[in-house]
Amino acid sequence: MSIFGALRSGVSGLFAQSQSLATTADNIANVNTTGYKVNRVQFNTLVTNSASPTLFSSGGVQSRVARDNDIQGLLAASASATDVAVVGQGFFTVTDEVTFNETSGRFEPTGNIFFTRAGEFRPDKDGNLVNAAGFFLTGWPRNAADTGFEVTTVPNAFSAVNTSAASAVATPTTEVEIGANLPAASATGDSFDVALQVFNRQGGQRTLTVTFTKNSAVDVWDVSVELVGGGQFVDIDVNNDGTTQSGLFDTTGDGVLDDDERAVVPDVGAAGSNASYAAADIDLEALVGTRTIASLGQVTFNADGSISTTTFNSAGGDIGFGNATTSDMNFLIDFDASSATDDDLVPITLNLGTLGGTDGLTQFDGANVINNLDQNGRQFGSLTGVTISDEGVVTALFDNGVTREIFQIPITTFNNPNALTPLSGNVFIQTDSSGQPVPRVAGTGGSGAISPSSLEQSTVDIADEFTKLIITQRAFSANTRTITTADELLDELIRTIR
């Protein structure tokens, strides 16, 4: 009987509208939840086939929940460097459990893999980035060669993004570049100083002053160095007989110190580590305390103000060495001023520019001007913070000015993100309908970019939700009228047999 069908239709309408009310209530409750995606109810008809075209068999209505996981939320600025938001398609990959791997030295996922748009991350006690729901952010770590990241498309093979890179190791100063103008009108004896800081292998700091003094010869300047704060220069021709020991360091004999030659400088003595370099005929025992000031050599300029040559006279007391094809002036510093140890010997190359060029030291009319002063080497540094780029590169910042890329955060995309299943904690899991996760570098292959120091807001429109409440309330009331009317009709029918 169609009256009973009307009852069932009314009941189905009540159920469908109650589902709509539930989703609206959930949306309103999460209006301030970071990265929350609005839920909405879709209605579709239930049709019962009739045996006769003259009869109508009522069916009712069905409801299903649709999730708009691919809708972009508004971005809000954040003061935290570890807050991130996805601008476009994709999700962060997170896990609910990590374990430290002694072999790799990393925290690796040992729990389930989830996906989220909630990017409010903070370091935990181990330095791993964790969001408000306790999920660990995962990504690609830097490779051992420090040339890139260990990229993989398998989310279980990611590592927890850890920001506790403890320190930046000290490195010695091995290269110094000076670009300056020496006045062409200078009189004999005029001098100009360039002071800079140099570091030993432990990060110990000394002040090195390079002095250029006008020689009596035309276009010739004498170059000397002074070390303040401890240490001494190494004289490679201590007897001043023109026979140098530069071959102990410059093993190829080309007057240029390459990286391989620099690496063996701390072991220049007799056989065995940390040997006395007195055994190598570089005897400074009688010179300790007198070699904090030394002559490197001479630089000669062309008539056009460019560098012509750098020359060295070891027999005359110069401690530098080099060759005729470069302006490099090489010398060595013994940072502890003791010839009994060689671990603290550091070779330094003073680069004055290209021979025949004006990209370094020049001699023009005008004032003495320092145009460029650059050097390598640094002190020991402690971690002060991190930054995250729009490509997801996590960079550690240290108080000695060093920066180090440590992780890259990938963005994972799905062919059908709206089919992901939501779980508590504002995370999702993949389903057969969503397709497989595809991790990509942020901003490539259709994946969204990363907005650092930002958070994606909920996609809930509170005005729209209030409007839905009114519509749902009216629809629910209307369906109750259907039920009460059908009930009254049935009551009338029952009374006909009394």
Side-chain angles (χ1 to χ4, degrees), residues 53-349:
T54 61
L55 299 176
F56 179 78
S57 296
S58 60
V61 65
Q62 274 186 328
S63 64
R64 67 181 294 271
V65 178
R67 297 179 174 89
D68 296 327
N69 298 333
D70 57 351
I71 293 181
Q72 177 70 47
L74 297 176
L75 298 186
S78 170
S80 174
T82 54
D83 283 344
V84 285
V86 180
V87 182
Q89 297 299 307
F91 300 82
F92 300 114
T93 303
V94 295
T95 183
D96 56 356
E97 183 180 1
V98 295
T99 302
F100 185 71
N101 186 316
E102 295 285 351
T103 302
S104 65
R106 301 173 185 143
F107 288 88
E108 299 178 349
T110 51
N112 297 314
I113 298 297
F114 304 93
F115 307 95
T116 186
R117 299 273 294 198
E120 194 173 8
F121 296 100
R122 295 291 185 275
D124 67 0
K125 63 181 180 62
D126 297 314
N128 298 313
L129 292 185
V130 185
N131 69 9
F135 292 97
F136 297 89
L137 178 64
T138 63
W140 299 322
R142 194 75 174 170
N143 61 27
D146 199 25
T147 56
F149 299 95
E150 296 180 6
V151 177
T152 175
T153 58
V154 181
N156 282 307
F158 292 0
S159 296
V161 176
N162 189 285
T163 60
S164 62
S167 60
V169 298
T171 58
T173 299
T174 58
E175 295 183 50
V176 175
E177 295 181 4
I178 295 179
N181 182 62
L182 301 177
S186 298
T188 300
D190 287 350
S191 63
F192 304 95
D193 296 335
V194 177
L196 50 99
Q197 304 301 313
V198 294
F199 304 94
N200 63 15
R201 289 184 170 83
Q202 290 75 41
Q205 179 176 299
R206 306 287 190 274
T207 298
L208 177 70
T209 300
V210 182
T211 300
F212 300 93
T213 304
K214 185 64 177 69
N215 192 283
S216 58
V218 177
D219 298 329
V220 177
W221 292 75
D222 298 323
V223 184
S224 60
V225 286
E226 179 179 5
L227 195 63
V228 177
Q232 62 185 2
F233 296 106
V234 175
D235 190 348
I236 59 174
D237 183 11
V238 68
N239 297 318
N240 292 336
D241 60 2
T243 303
T244 73
Q245 300 295 325
S246 62
L248 291 169
F249 319 104
D250 178 21
T251 56
T252 61
D254 61 358
V256 177
L257 290 181
D258 57 31
D259 290 340
D260 291 336
E261 290 170 330
R262 294 181 192 281
V264 300
V265 167
D267 190 21
V268 299
S273 177
N274 204 36
S276 168
Y277 55 82
D281 293 330
I282 306 178
D283 188 359
L284 300 181
E285 293 291 348
L287 301 175
V288 172
T290 66
R291 304 300 290 175
T292 58
I293 299 176
S295 172
L296 279 186
Q298 293 181 327
V299 56
T300 302
F301 290 92
N302 295 311
D304 61 2
S306 62
I307 294 180
S308 174
T309 60
T310 52
T311 55
F312 311 91
N313 181 12
S314 64
D318 292 348
I319 66 167
F321 62 95
N323 67 23
T325 63
T326 71
S327 69
D328 292 352
M329 307 184 85
N330 303 294
F331 59 99
L332 288 96
I333 294 179
D334 173 22
F335 273 91
D336 70 353
S338 171
S339 64
T341 60
D342 58 22
D343 285 346
D344 59 321
L345 284 176
V346 175
I348 294 180
T349 298

Side-chain angles (χ1 to χ4, degrees), residues 419-437:
L420 294 170
T421 298
L423 296 177
S424 296
N426 208 6
V427 295
F428 302 88
I429 57 173
Q430 72 178 86
T431 64
D432 291 339
S433 299
S434 69
Q436 293 296 311

